[in-house]
Amino acid sequence: MPTIPVQFNYYTGLKREIFANARLTGSWDENGRYSQQWQSIPMQQITGEDGCPCFQATVELDDSQVGWLFRWGVTVDTQAGSNIWGITTEVNESNSSDRYRCFHLQATNGSQPQQQSYYLTFARRLGAQKYFLPSQSEPGIQFAVWAPNAEKVEVVFSNQTSGYIADDGSGIDPGIGPFPLFRQADGIWQTDIAVSSQLEYFSKFDHIPYMFKITKEGGQIAYRTDLYSRCQIGKGNIDPQGQPYARSYRELDGTKGCSVVINPETVTRQFEENVYPEIDFMPAAEFWQDEFRDGRTVPHRVEDLVIYELHLGALGYGQNRPGNLKDAIGLLPYLVDLGVNAVEILPLAEFRDSKNWGYETSHYFALEYSAGGRDQLKHFIRECHRHGIAVILDVVYNHYNPDGERAEWSYDSNIQEHNIYYWYEGKSTDYPQPEGGYVDNGSTGFSPRFYEEIVRKMFISSAAVLMEEFHVDGFRVDQTTSMHLYNVLHADGRPLSNVNVFGAKFLREWTRTQKLIRPTALLIAEDHSDWEAVTESPDVGGLGFDAAWFANFYHHLIGDTRQGTEYAKLIPTAGYGTDEPLAMDYFAGALAWSGHKKVVYHESHDEAGNASSEVGGQRVESRRTIVSAVNSAPLIGETRRYGEARSRFAFGMSALSAGTPMFFMGEEIGAQKPYRYRDFLEYREDLLGDRQTTGQRLFQFYQDLIQLRHHHPGWRSHFIDVIHVHNANRVIAFRRWDTTDELLVLASLNNHPFGNGYIVNNSQIADGQWQEIFNSDASRYGGDNIGNFGANIPASNGRFNAVIPANGFVVFQRVGF
């Protein structure tokens, strides 16, 4: 029986051997004919041309099946279990979430097998990558780029002094290249060592700046950066706008500078600042050998985290520059003393300018040079892990850098609907204005083209690289709601459900891939939809995140960025100093909902500085918690004591809720300066200094409460029961528990203590003794020391009577539980 051989390849694109026992499965029978009963055979593990593990198998299909559509996939064994489906990409249809690959069997004229390949990641498929040939002991280099509309592509090189190539070609180094790229399948272009023998040695190109010279659709020549580059040269804010540039790369905006060839298997031996090119490297495996020390472990469950949200640029107090990774390493002893076990860092992927929050990403594989760069991030993460601190990176996929020239914008065509990285509906001739077909999603840029598998793969692969090469523990994905819910047509604001569908498809693929690679990856969504599917498994229609930010918790607790009566706004309302009732019942609803896999916070970077509202005809910007707690009154004397007490209440509600607590840098020392996008450098806080002075008591409170959370498993469960709410008294009480621990919290924002006791009646309070284990009003925190002094208090028939301090809370543990 004549057959046609088909070779199947499963590329991981990752150096670590994370899979075993791979098996090919497909829609054919033992005779090589189409069958709905899929057959399975083992795959052989080899090292692919990219130097990474690859799995291969060949199947002989009956030549009578030419033209038939076959489907296939791969199962693998991972840390999470056996026989796990290894295809994370869904079929590119809006009405299907199935995951398989397919092909039509073709007739063949030779003996070479037809090739069918799946790339789990594109981490080593595109960009400037090592290329391994059996005949060579040293790898060569291959350049590859996705440019489906291009007429011609070359790679050109620049010098290491300026790092820039102008639109007229000035800045090109005539001593290297150029080298042609050749069109492959799927719109990918790549170099060929057989044609360009100078590419035989990767080492000759290490740290050399380069760009792609693209002849666009229509014939225009454009110089484009490599969106898969591991490094963008430049750490300043100068955009030459295509003109010749002869100044130093240090002043150049990295989003416009050349890409740089990087060897991902090496790390700088020492933490080096302002050095390019680096010269003292060590193998990555050696660098990570002593990643963990002194028996300290890094948490791997979201429920176990206490997260410190950190903006590197806002560090560096007293320095005439933005903060950087060196400053962050210097902060680690402070964070260890504080007791947090996770830091969530604002975006560090390449962004415009050096004075930035980071939410204008241009290159997802490159680390912002002004913050320290790629190897410096590895040094920081290693130091965090040595101290038992997990590192969560903020990543932005809902839009690109709005000034995307030389990056995503018009990469290979000037035709709007062929703008390959951006979603465009219809044709430009359909709209009065050409930009009408783009998609808005509530972010600061147009929506990415999520219906393109290669666009989705770019985001997915960059996260995989951060986990594998940088040992990042998890991610916070910026504004996921913009991708799966908020999409509208730019021309008229019409909702676009088809774009939402592909946004959700991307998020499922993203979470599946990260969990397949590392089952313990911590995946957090900034999602404001309250859609429970966000934290459900993709296998049941969810998006696959471990937890979602819970903004409503903040709005009910603080809420100074929203007006209207739909939010409780407890802290600023109490800050007026009156005794009017508070909407404790509104907050109770948010508190009870915190057990639904939420990250809760009383302050984040967004709420601290990114929002404002109209109140009484005046613009009121967001304020730090202690400022909001006294409605911007001078923080001196008794006013500061009230501010600190209410600030302790705010963190207490977050830390003791059923969600994962997070707070923004500086809250622990009573940060009061404005934190704004436009001028954060002028208002940086002296964290280390204030800890020893004005912030000493608040820092001690945070320390103690964080330790309380770490030491009691009941806080780290999702179980919560709000057992008492009284708006006029400004009191709320709730239970927390797990199988070994039962806890009770009585909290008040009343300006007067309940010194003679406050009675709570609820059948959920178990009979027996309850010991006071924490009092926010303790004198060590600057309080009035009004409480129960560690006493055991009996509960009988659901009746419990305890002293509650003003603007504070007390915590009890059931004795003998």
Side-chain angles (χ1 to χ4, degrees):
M1 176 181 67
T3 61
I4 298 174
V6 181
Q7 179 176 297
F8 296 86
N9 309 292
Y10 183 88
Y11 294 97
T12 64
L14 305 169
K15 289 290 289 186
R16 184 168 62 96
E17 293 189 1
I18 55 179
F19 302 138
N21 192 30
R23 297 183 65 83
L24 171 69
T25 179
S27 60
W28 51 79
D29 60 20
E30 63 275 8
N31 297 314
R33 294 173 179 156
Y34 177 82
S35 173
Q36 293 185 359
Q37 301 297 316
W38 288 27
Q39 293 292 307
S40 180
I41 62 171
M43 302 185 80
Q44 177 186 4
Q45 180 173 336
I46 65 167
T47 299
E49 293 175 342
D50 59 1
C52 300
C54 170
F55 299 91
Q56 287 185 343
T58 300
V59 174
E60 299 284 343
L61 297 179
D62 191 321
D63 70 354
S64 68
Q65 306 290 288
V66 168
W68 282 65
L69 179 69
F70 288 89
R71 297 173 178 172
W72 65 280
V74 174
T75 60
V76 293
D77 293 350
T78 74
Q79 295 176 355
S82 302
N83 202 36
I84 295 175
W85 193 244
I87 307 296
T88 58
T89 308
E90 297 182 4
V91 296
N92 222 40
E93 300 173 4
S94 62
N95 60 351
S96 176
S97 58
D98 291 340
R99 292 174 290 135
Y100 57 80
R101 309 307 283 177
C102 59
F103 68 99
H104 287 92
L105 185 63
Q106 299 176 356
T108 181
N109 295 323
S111 59
Q112 292 298 315
Q114 294 182 22
Q115 299 290 321
Q116 292 297 320
S117 299
Y118 176 72
Y119 293 83
L120 177 66
T121 74
F122 278 23
R124 303 291 177 110
R125 187 182 186 190
L126 297 179
Q129 307 292 352
K130 292 182 179 179
Y131 186 74
F132 292 81
L133 292 173
S135 59
Q136 289 185 206
S137 58
E138 182 181 337
I141 186 169
Q142 178 175 275
F143 294 89
V145 63
W146 182 54
N149 300 305
E151 297 178 1
K152 180 182 178 182
V153 180
E154 296 175 292
V155 59
V156 295
F157 300 86
S158 182
N159 61 74
Q160 295 175 334
T161 303
S162 69
Y164 188 77
I165 297 174
D167 288 347
D168 64 4
S170 61
I172 293 177
D173 185 345
I176 312 176
F179 303 115
L181 279 71
F182 301 92
R183 186 185 292 274
Q184 311 295 311
D186 300 324
I188 291 174
W189 297 70
Q190 66 187 37
T191 53
D192 186 343
I193 290 180
V195 175
S196 305
S197 59
Q198 301 97 315
L199 303 176
E200 287 181 348
Y201 298 101
F202 180 91
S203 59
K204 292 184 178 180
F205 293 85
D206 196 2
H207 278 72
I208 300 298
Y210 68 97
M211 295 189 83
F212 292 117
K213 180 182 178 181
I214 294 180
T215 303
K216 290 185 176 184
E217 180 180 28
Q220 179 188 353
I221 292 176
Y223 291 92
R224 291 289 179 256
T225 55
D226 177 6
L227 300 183
Y228 279 72
S229 75
R230 297 294 209 276
C231 176
Q232 287 297 116
I233 195 168
K235 56 189 306 180
N237 56 15
I238 293 179
D239 175 8
Q241 297 184 341
Q243 299 302 308
Y245 178 77
R247 300 172 68 171
S248 168
Y249 76 88
R250 296 176 185 274
E251 302 174 75
L252 181 66
D253 181 351
T255 68
K256 307 298 190 298
C258 286
S259 304
V260 179
V261 177
I262 292 293
N263 182 355
E265 273 78 60
T266 62
V267 183
T268 51
R269 193 172 298 275
Q270 303 295 328
F271 187 100
E272 299 176 297
E273 279 193 297
N274 301 320
V275 176
Y276 173 80
E278 302 93 335
I279 56 174
D280 188 12
F281 291 94
M282 64 191 300
E286 180 183 343
F287 174 83
W288 294 110
Q289 274 181 348
D290 60 345
E291 181 179 0
F292 304 99
R293 289 182 177 175
D294 304 325
R296 290 172 172 165
T297 58
V298 173
H300 293 300
R301 295 194 326 143
V302 168
E303 293 83 357
D304 295 333
L305 304 180
V306 177
I307 303 172
Y308 190 86
E309 192 185 22
L310 178 63
H311 177 203
L312 294 188
L315 295 175
Y317 175 81
Q319 300 290 325
N320 188 27
R321 56 161 176 77
N324 56 32
L325 286 160
K326 184 178 181 180
D327 297 318
I329 288 180
L331 189 68
L332 284 179
Y334 171 98
L335 296 179
V336 171
D337 287 349
L338 183 58
V340 296
N341 58 7
V343 290
E344 182 179 302
I345 304 176
L346 268 61
L348 287 180
E350 186 69 39
F351 53 75
R352 164 173 69 171
D353 203 344
S354 60
K355 303 173 184 177
N356 201 303
W357 280 8
Y359 292 89
E360 297 181 339
T361 302
S362 61
H363 297 77
Y364 291 83
F365 295 80
L367 275 299
E368 174 58 36
Y369 223 119
S370 65
R374 55 178 286 108
D375 283 4
Q376 286 68 28
L377 178 60
K378 293 176 184 178
H379 278 271
F380 171 73
I381 292 173
R382 186 176 67 172
E383 287 305 308
C384 284
H385 288 175
R386 287 172 174 175
H387 290 88
I389 296 175
V391 178
I392 299 168
L393 282 190
D394 205 336
V395 288
V396 185
Y397 305 136
N398 53 61
H399 70 283
Y400 309 109
N401 176 5
D403 183 12
E405 175 64 23
R406 297 198 163 214
E408 289 84 8
W409 186 259
S410 296
Y411 199 85
D412 63 0
S413 176
N414 293 330
I415 299 174
Q416 305 289 349
E417 53 266 39
H418 294 174
N419 199 350
I420 58 175
Y421 284 97
Y422 293 82
W423 193 300
Y424 196 90
E425 286 282 296
K427 297 181 179 180
S428 54
T429 54
D430 297 338
Y431 305 97
Q433 300 297 325
E435 66 271 16
Y438 290 108
V439 175
D440 297 322
N441 59 16
S443 70
T444 56
F446 294 138
S447 172
R449 188 177 287 205
F450 287 119
Y451 68 79
E452 290 281 5
E453 180 180 326
I454 290 184
V455 173
R456 304 197 301 269
K457 281 288 188 185
M458 179 177 72
F459 300 131
I460 291 167
S461 303
S462 65
V465 164
L466 287 166
M467 284 201 303
E468 288 297 295
E469 295 181 14
F470 292 80
H471 292 206
V472 168
D473 299 288
F475 302 95
R476 177 263 195 190
V477 181
D478 182 68
Q479 192 50 286
T480 52
T481 339
S482 290
M483 293 178 270
H484 72 80
L485 186 62
Y486 291 166
N487 293 287
V488 298
L489 190 66
H490 182 71
D492 56 16
R494 172 166 46 89
L496 297 172
S497 60
N498 59 319
V499 185
N500 293 338
V501 166
F502 274 92
K505 182 185 290 288
F506 158 67
L507 292 169
R508 290 192 298 269
E509 293 178 353
W510 186 89
T511 57
R512 273 195 174 110
T513 305
Q514 311 317 318
K515 288 292 189 179
L516 182 67
I517 294 168
R518 187 187 296 176
T520 58
L522 305 165
L523 306 183
I524 299 170
E526 183 203 4
D527 198 277
H528 303 307
S529 66
D530 260 347
W531 183 29
E532 288 201 73
V534 171
T535 54
E536 293 177 349
S537 167
D539 295 335
V540 295
L543 299 184
F545 287 92
D546 296 310
W549 271 29
F550 191 22
N552 278 352
F553 187 94
Y554 165 84
H555 293 312
H556 285 297
L557 185 58
I558 309 291
D560 55 342
T561 65
R562 298 284 185 101
Q563 58 176 339
T565 59
E566 69 269 30
Y567 295 108
K569 298 176 285 188
L570 295 183
I571 296 299
T573 306
Y576 286 116
T578 66
D579 293 325
E580 66 184 57
L582 295 179
M584 306 299 286
D585 52 348
Y586 282 23
F587 175 67
L591 181 64
W593 197 251
S594 67
H596 290 250
K597 298 182 179 180
K598 299 295 186 182
V599 171
V600 299
Y601 48 91
H602 64 288
E603 194 73 282
S604 76
H605 76 279
D606 269 335
E607 277 68 31
N610 201 32
S612 59
S613 59
E614 290 286 342
V615 178
Q618 294 184 337
R619 198 72 171 170
V620 178
E621 294 191 332
S622 299
R623 302 168 291 184
R624 299 304 293 261
T625 301
I626 196 169
V627 178
S628 179
V630 294
N631 273 295
S632 301
L635 284 161
I636 55 176
E638 283 297 297
T639 302
R640 183 173 183 97
R641 293 184 74 245
Y642 272 102
E644 288 193 8
R646 292 171 186 143
S647 295
R648 295 194 296 269
F649 178 97
F651 180 55
M653 296 304 96
S654 172
L656 304 180
S657 75
T660 297
M662 181 192 78
F663 58 95
F664 187 55
M665 60 188 293
E667 286 294 304
E668 71 283 359
I669 50 92
Q672 54 185 291
K673 294 178 182 178
Y675 173 79
R676 295 178 294 230
Y677 180 86
R678 64 181 182 271
D679 58 2
F680 66 86
L681 285 181
E682 284 70 51
Y683 295 97
R684 286 182 280 188
E685 302 279 354
D686 182 8
L687 300 179
L688 302 183
D690 287 356
R691 176 195 171 177
Q692 305 299 331
T693 55
T694 57
Q696 184 177 22
R697 296 176 303 190
L698 200 54
F699 189 92
Q700 181 70 64
F701 167 78
Y702 270 71
Q703 277 184 312
D704 292 352
L705 192 59
I706 289 170
Q707 288 306 313
L708 183 75
R709 182 176 176 90
H710 287 329
H711 291 158
H712 287 271
W715 303 122
R716 303 193 299 277
S717 78
H718 291 296
F719 300 127
I720 187 169
D721 184 13
V722 178
I723 59 173
H724 178 83
V725 178
H726 199 294
N727 290 353
N729 289 338
R730 299 180 167 193
V731 172
I732 187 169
F734 55 97
R735 291 172 59 237
R736 297 295 319 285
W737 71 94
D738 78 342
T739 57
T740 63
D741 201 16
E742 187 169 2
L743 302 145
L744 180 63
V745 180
L746 277 65
S748 169
L749 277 174
N750 199 302
N751 291 315
H752 310 282
F754 294 94
N756 295 321
Y758 188 93
I759 297 174
V760 175
N761 279 297
N762 192 291
S763 61
Q764 295 301 312
I765 303 176
D767 289 351
Q769 297 292 314
W770 292 78
Q771 183 184 9
E772 185 188 62
I773 60 174
F774 193 88
N775 179 5
S776 73
D777 197 49
S779 57
R780 65 191 271 122
Y781 311 136
D784 293 325
N785 213 31
I786 295 175
N788 304 277
F789 304 101
N792 285 353
I793 296 179
S796 178
N797 297 320
R799 186 179 187 275
F800 188 77
N801 185 4
V803 171
I804 309 177
N807 293 297
F809 61 90
V810 285
V811 180
F812 297 86
Q813 181 182 25
R814 184 180 169 194
V815 178
F817 179 72

